[in-house]
Amino acid sequence: MNYDNKFENVTVLGAAGKMGSGILLLTSMEMYDISKKPENKDKHYVLYALDISQKALSGLMMYIQDQLVKQAERKINALRSIYKDRADLIDNTEIIAQYVKDVMNIIRPVTTLESAYESHIVFEAASENPELKVKMFSQINLNSKVEPWFFTNTSSIPIGHLNKEANLSGRILGVHFYNPPAVQKLVEVIKCDESKPELSEFVSILIKNMRKIEVPSYDKAGFIGNGHFMRDAIYGMTTMESLRKDMSFAEAVYCVNKVSQDFMIRPMGIFQLIDYVGIDVCQFIMKVMRPYVTDETIHSPLLDKMMEINVKGGQNHDGSQKDGFLKYEKGKIAGIYDIDKKEYVKVEDISTKCDQTLGSLPEGHLPWKAVVGNKDKNNVLSKYFDAMKSQKTLGAELALNYMKKSKQIGEKLVTDKVAYTAEDVNTVLLTGFFHAYGPINDFIN
Amino acid sequence: MQLRRKIYMVAGYNTISMGSGRKEFNPKKARPGIEEYMKEAGQAVLQQIGGAQNVDECVVGNFIAARYNRQGNLEGFFPMIDEGLRYKPAIRTEGACASGALALATGIKSVLAETAEVVLVIGIEVQNTVKAVYGADILAAAGWAKERKDGHAHFFPGKFSDRAGKYYEKFGYDYTRQAMATWYKNAVENARLCPTAQEYHNTNSDLMATGMTKPNGKSFVDNLNVFDCSKVSDGASGIAIMSEEGLKRCGIAVKDAVEVIGLGMAENNITQGPADLTKLDATAIAVKKALDMAKITKDDLATIELHDCFTIAGIMALEAVGVAEYGKGAQFVAEGHTARNGKLPVNTTGGLVGWGHPTGGTGVHQAVTMWEQLTGKAGEAQINIPANKPYGLTINMGGDDKTLVSIVYKKN
C-alpha cells in the first residue's frame, strides 16, 4: 500500500492531550494535502480524533480550528494556488475559511476505541503509561482486519516492550514529537529490533512533508531527549543540594537555575525546565526509565518530596506556566520555592546576595536569544567560554562542571547505544531543547 | 492653469503612526479607534487656528473605514471633534491611498471657489483592526476588483513586486537592491528624528544589511522583502487650508503658513495594467501639471515628500519627477542624493516606509511635513531650505499609479 493510501483511515489516540492535539493538527494538514492531489480526488480521507472525554474533544475541535486558521494565514500563498479554480473564493478571508472547513471535514471526534478498528495508521499520544498503551494497542490489533501500523509518541517506554506485550509483530515505531508538536521541529524516531522497515520509510516521508527534523534513536528507555534531560536534571538537583550547606534551599535553587541558564547560555534554567515539563511528568519518566538503566540510578528524591507536598509545575490549559520550583507571574520568574518554609520567597529578596555569591557573568556574555540565531555563534561562544575558564568565581566553576557533566551525559548516550552518533545528540538538544550549542562540544576542553 | 487666489496651509498636526515597531503597540490590547484619532488631529488644528468658529468647511480623506472599522459617513465625526463644527458643511473624499491629498485638493478648490476661507482637513486610517493577511483583501480594493482572484495573496506588494522584477530585469538586481536598501535606511534614519513616526523606536544598527534581505516568494512576494514595504498603520493628520482672508481671521502670520502654488491631478484607468511596469506614467503627468502651474522646475525643489508605499515605488517616482533619468533613479538613491544631507532630501520624516502609511491619512501627513519643513517647525528632523530653492513637492498616489495628486508648496 502506498503512502497516500495509508492515510485514508487514521486514528490519533489521546487526541485531546497536549501532544495528541498537535499530532492531530499536523496529521490533518498532511491528509488534506494528500486529498488535494489530482490522483486522489475520488478517495475519501478520515481522521479519528479519539479521546475519553466529550468535553475534552469539544475543546480539541476549537483548538484545531484556531490553529488551522493560523496555519492557513501563514501559507496563504500556497492556498491561493490550491483554490485557484474556485471562482467563488476571492479574498484571503474566504480562502482561509474554506481551508479550515475542508481540513475540519476530515476529522471525526470519537470516544470509542472501535473507531480505530479500520485505521491503517494509529498515532498514539495517550498518557505515559505502559499498561494503558499495551491495552489499547492489543485491542485494536486484535479487532482490526487491516494490520494497522502503530506510531507511539512515548518519550521513554522502550518500543520493543510495547511490541512484545501487545503482540504487534513489528508493526510499531516510536515517533516522538516534541512539545508543542505544531511548533517544535524535532521528531525522534525509534525502531525496535522487530520494527518493520516500511514503517520507518513511511515516517521519514511524513516527517519531511511536515517540514520537521528526524533524529533516529536506539530503543533505550528515555531515548536521546529524556536520556539527556533526566540525567542533566538530576545533576542540577544534586548540585543544588551540595550548595545547601552554605545557603538556603531557595538560594541554592536560584543559583543553579541561574548558572544553567545565564552562565551556560541556555533558553531556560534547569529548574524552570523541570517546571515546564512538569515535576510529575519528570518523576514519571524517571520511573519508566529506571528498570532499563542498570549502571546508574535514574531517580530524584527531591522530585518525590515535591510531589508529596503537591508542588507539580506543568502548564495550564491556556499554556501558562503553573508554579513549581519557581513561581511565575505573567510568564516571568517571580519567586523561588523554599521547601523548609513551604512557601515562595520573592526573587528580589535573594537575588542580590546570590548574584554576588556567583560572581559576575564572564566577559563576552550574551543572552541566549542573541546567541541562538547568531551566524558567528561558535566564535562568540568560544571566546565566552574561554573567558569563563579564566574566571575564578563560583558561578564560572559551577557552569564549567555542569558543561562537563552535560558533555559526559551526551557521550555516554553514544557509548551506551542510545544515540547513533554524537551529532544526533547535539541535534536533539539544539532542535528539541533550543540550546544554542550541543552538549558534545570543544568549548570547555 | 493658474490659481486665481492665494492658497495657504497652516496649523498641521500628526498623531503617532501606530503599529508594529512602536513600543506602545500591542496587537492584543485595545487601541484608539477612528473617534480618538479624528479628535486628536482635529482638535490640535482647531487649537492652532483660534477654534471651530473660524472654520467654514471640513473635509476628511479616508480610504476604507467601511471595512477596517465598519464605519462610513465619516463627515459625522466633525461635530464630535468640536461642538462648534455642528451644522458646518463637511465632505469625505476617497481615492484609495490618495484619499488624503484628495481631501486637500477639495479644500483648495473650495477656497478657490470662494465657498470657504478656512477649511479643516483631516486624513485618517485605522488599519490594525485586522491582521495584515486580511488587510490585504481590504487594500486590494485600491485595484480593480476583477483582478483580485488572480492577484497575489498580498495584492499590492504583489503588484509592486512585479514592477520591481521588471526593473531588476532591465537594470540589474544588485544595482536596484542596493538602492532599495538605501531607501529603507534613509527612511528609518529620518523616522528616528520624528517622534510620531512608526519607526521612531527602531534601533537596528545595520539597516543596510536588513534592507539587502533577499526576497522570498514562498513566504511573501518574489521581488520585495518586507522592509521594502510600508507598514500597517493607524493614524491621522490634520491641517488647515486658508485664503489670505482666512489667515487674517485666524490671526496667523503669513510666515507661519506655507503657500500652495501648484496642484496637479491625474487619473489612470483602473481596469488596465501599466503600459510599462518600470514607469509611473500618471505620477509623471500629475507632477508636471503641478510644476507647470507653479511655474518652477524640478531643479527648484528643496525637498520632496513622495509616495514610497514600497521602496521601488520611491525610486520610480524620482524618475517620474525627472530628478533622475529613466533607469538612473536607483543610482541617484544609492549615491545618497535623497538622504537628508543629500542634494535633494526626500521624505524627511521617514515617508511611508519610515513614518508609516495610514492609507487615507498619508496625503495630509505629507502636507504637514512640508508645512513643518518650509516654516522651520520640523524639530530634529528639520532640513536646510536653501534661499534660492524655497519650494517643496508632494506626490500622493492611490492604487498602482491610478489616482494622483501632486502639490507644490512655497516658503513665505
Side-chain angles (χ1 to χ4, degrees), chain A residues 73 77 80 86 89 92-93, chain B residues 131 133-134 137 149 153 220:
Chain A
E73 288 168 355
N77 284 0
R80 282 193 79 91
R86 283 282 301 269
L89 303 175
N92 293 341
T93 317
Chain B
K131 287 186 184 175
V133 65
Y134 306 112
D137 289 336
K149 176 64 187 168
F220 188 47

Side-chain angles (χ1 to χ4, degrees), chain A residues 391-410:
Chain A
Q391 191 171 313
K392 300 280 172 256
T393 61
L394 178 64
E397 187 195 323
L398 290 172
L400 288 172
N401 287 338
Y402 213 133
M403 299 267 296
K404 278 180 204 153
K405 181 66 189 181
S406 175
K407 183 176 183 177
Q408 227 175 59
I409 295 169

Side-chain angles (χ1 to χ4, degrees), chain B residues 128-321:
Chain B
N128 281 296
T129 51
V130 297
K131 287 186 184 175
V133 65
Y134 306 112
D137 289 336
I138 297 176
L139 295 173
W144 188 26
K146 290 197 171 155
E147 280 187 359
R148 177 62 183 132
K149 176 64 187 168
D150 295 330
H152 199 281
H154 307 279
F155 187 79
F156 268 92
K159 288 275 173 208
F160 281 84
S161 169
D162 292 349
R163 283 184 174 275
K166 199 70 185 169
Y167 200 95
Y168 298 159
E169 201 182 296
K170 271 200 162 168
F171 307 112
Y173 174 80
D174 293 337
Y175 164 78
T176 314
R177 174 49 56 196
Q178 193 72 26
M180 291 162 86
T182 307
W183 191 282
Y184 171 71
K185 175 174 170 280
N186 291 344
V188 174
E189 283 177 354
N190 284 337
R192 284 173 181 164
L193 301 172
C194 178
T196 55
Q198 199 160 337
E199 294 292 348
Y200 180 61
H201 297 135
N202 186 314
T203 55
N204 184 346
S205 58
D206 195 351
L207 293 166
M208 268 315 274
T210 304
M212 291 300 286
T213 305
K214 210 172 158 37
N216 176 355
K218 239 179 162 178
S219 59
F220 188 47
V221 294
D222 288 341
N223 302 309
L224 301 177
N225 62 43
V226 291
F227 309 102
D228 288 319
C229 308
S230 51
K231 289 183 163 179
V232 175
S233 317
D234 299 347
S237 295
I239 203 162
I241 299 176
M242 299 188 187
S243 61
E244 277 181 291
E245 198 184 315
L247 286 179
K248 270 182 220 148
R249 183 198 291 170
C250 300
I252 292 168
V254 173
K255 70 166 178 47
D256 289 326
V258 66
E259 191 180 344
V260 174
I261 59 168
L263 170 65
M265 297 172 68
E267 199 60 50
N268 218 342
N269 186 341
I270 200 169
T271 67
Q272 288 173 357
D276 182 338
L277 282 170
T278 59
K279 290 180 180 167
L280 297 175
D281 297 333
T283 302
I285 287 165
V287 169
K288 186 175 183 309
K289 284 183 186 178
L291 289 174
D292 286 351
M293 187 186 281
K295 296 196 172 64
I296 65 162
T297 74
K298 61 179 172 43
D299 300 322
D300 298 315
L301 297 171
T303 177
I304 303 178
E305 285 295 309
L306 57 75
H307 199 93
D308 61 331
C309 43
F310 303 95
T311 56
I312 191 69
I315 291 164
M316 288 184 189
L318 291 172
E319 294 177 9
V321 175

